[in-house]
Amino acid sequence: MNDSAPAPAVSVIMPVLNEERHLREAVRHILEQDYDGDLEVVIALGPSTDRTDAIAAELVRETADGPRCRVHTVPNPTGRTPAGLNAAIKASRHPVVVRVDGHGMLSPGYIATAVRLLAETGAQNVGGVMRAEGETSWEQAVAAAMTARIGVGNAAFHTGGEAGPADTVYLGVFRREALERQGGYNEEFIRAQDWELNFRIRSAGGAVWFSPELTVSYRPRPSVRTLARQYRDYGRWRRVVARYHKGSINPRYLAPPAALAGIVAGVLVTPLTPLGLGIPLAYAVGIAAGSVPAGRGLPVRARLRIPVALATMHMSWGWGFLTSPRSLARKVIASRRPAVPAP
């Protein structure tokens, strides 16, 4: 990876499950990349119940005679994201591996910029900003909540920031050698598999690099129910990570469970003293005030939904964190993979 060498060939891997709404558009953003090197797309197909498989088959046929980029598929019977990622990595063949989700849209120069950053920084993995963008008023509200500090804290891949080393990044563009050296993703991590893999890469002496030059448009969950399930799982697996790696917790991870516990306690003591209502009321006022700057420029219908999106994210994340079973952490810890340093 240097200025005089030809652009390295790139494999794009996509684990998908029930992505009929966004899959074709996500693949289009890959096929239209402004990149001089060869590309391939490997889609790992989970057991979808919609038209995802049919759309993937259409994409395979449409690119079969393509001069530069073809789409391939591999089965992922479990439907689990890390299993799909590993299956796609195994079926791919190029020295640079780009992870993309079925509802992620790469910016036009994403791959070229990532390859350049790999060369400039010497990193094993580079990634950037998850730019949430909604289509419906609810999705616009969720996108605003996800990019607000009151929604997700100060994570750089949500809110942006300066380029530099990072604990983890969104999705990621890897040197294949780094993925193969670490044995790919740990398939016990149903969520947080990116963090765990990046932890092993860093423990082995490799660098993980964040850059705001890299952006991926992300389509939020389309309903309160699916958003709640997503953030419950995030909270549950963040607790697993905390048990897996002592010292990885910081205050922003503890804010949602603390808020949930405070609201429940306030409601329970309200029959004894009306002061108990102060906690849930203070929380409601806080998210309402935080929704105002988050919703600037959005339609009224979207702005009115931002407090609901924020509360759904906070309470679901907090519930998942507080109820995460120790048995899940023990199972994951038992599957621990040691970091493998470069020879």
Side-chain angles (χ1 to χ4, degrees):
M1 297 181 187
N2 56 65
D3 292 339
S4 61
V10 170
S11 298
V12 181
I13 58 173
M14 299 181 69
V16 299
L17 180 69
N18 294 326
E19 289 288 359
E20 68 173 1
R21 184 178 172 193
H22 300 301
L23 178 58
R24 178 171 287 279
E25 184 183 4
V27 172
R28 179 179 65 80
H29 278 74
I30 298 168
L31 300 179
E32 295 179 357
Q33 284 288 298
D34 182 13
Y35 184 66
D36 293 335
D38 289 338
L39 296 172
E40 67 172 352
V41 181
V42 182
I43 302 174
L45 296 171
S48 297
T49 57
D50 61 8
R51 293 192 64 254
T52 296
D53 288 11
I55 294 169
E58 292 170 2
L59 291 166
V60 170
R61 290 194 299 270
E62 291 166 8
T63 61
D65 298 322
R68 190 174 70 99
C69 183
R70 296 184 180 183
V71 176
H72 310 276
T73 62
V74 293
N76 176 25
T78 68
R80 293 181 172 183
T81 297
L85 288 167
N86 284 342
I89 292 167
K90 185 176 180 180
S92 65
R93 55 197 173 93
H94 294 324
V96 176
V97 179
V98 177
R99 176 183 171 178
V100 183
D101 287 339
H103 45 272
M105 316 296 159
L106 300 185
S107 54
Y110 183 90
I111 291 177
T113 301
V115 170
R116 172 177 60 80
L117 289 171
L118 285 174
E120 290 177 355
T121 65
Q124 303 297 302
N125 180 22
V126 299
V129 178
M130 182 180 76
R131 188 173 61 199
E133 296 179 350
E135 296 175 329
T136 67
S137 58
W138 167 252
E139 291 173 357
Q140 290 171 347
V142 175
M146 292 179 71
T147 54
R149 292 187 182 277
I150 193 175
V152 295
N154 59 353
F157 67 81
H158 281 297
T159 61
E162 295 184 0
D167 289 344
T168 192
V169 291
Y170 180 54
L171 301 178
V173 177
F174 300 84
R175 299 175 188 267
R176 175 178 292 277
E177 61 196 33
L179 286 173
E180 293 180 344
R181 185 180 306 121
Q182 300 306 328
Y185 291 85
N186 185 332
E187 296 185 13
E188 294 297 335
F189 275 84
I190 309 306
R191 297 279 188 181
Q193 66 274 159
D194 299 291
W195 183 93
E196 193 276 335
L197 174 59
N198 286 316
F199 173 72
R200 281 186 282 134
I201 289 174
R202 290 185 292 105
S203 297
V208 177
W209 190 266
F210 167 81
S211 173
E213 292 183 75
L214 298 171
T215 61
V216 180
S217 296
Y218 169 88
R219 299 294 188 258
R221 295 299 192 268
S223 67
V224 174
R225 181 178 179 181
T226 54
L227 181 69
R229 185 184 305 122
Q230 177 188 21
Y231 272 78
R232 179 204 64 194
D233 289 346
Y234 283 166
R236 174 174 292 179
W237 283 92
R238 184 62 243 189
R239 185 72 177 273
V240 171
V241 167
R243 288 167 170 160
Y244 177 89
H245 178 55
K246 302 297 185 183
S248 66
I249 283 291
N250 66 45
R252 73 183 176 91
Y253 297 134
L254 298 177
L260 176 60
I263 290 170
V264 171
V267 171
L268 290 176
V269 302
T270 295
L272 302 177
T273 171
L275 294 177
L277 286 176
I279 298 175
L281 286 175
Y283 175 78
V285 170
I287 62 170
S291 297
V292 174
R296 288 196 181 105
L298 292 180
V300 174
R301 285 172 60 86
R303 293 203 302 267
L304 293 175
R305 287 167 169 77
I306 294 175
V308 178
L310 286 169
T312 301
M313 292 161 59
H314 293 161
M315 298 300 101
S316 300
W317 205 101
W319 176 255
F321 188 92
L322 292 171
T323 61
S324 182
R326 286 188 174 274
S327 59
L328 184 59
R330 285 195 293 266
K331 182 179 180 182
V332 167
I333 291 169
S335 72
R336 190 191 302 270
R337 297 181 180 183
V340 180

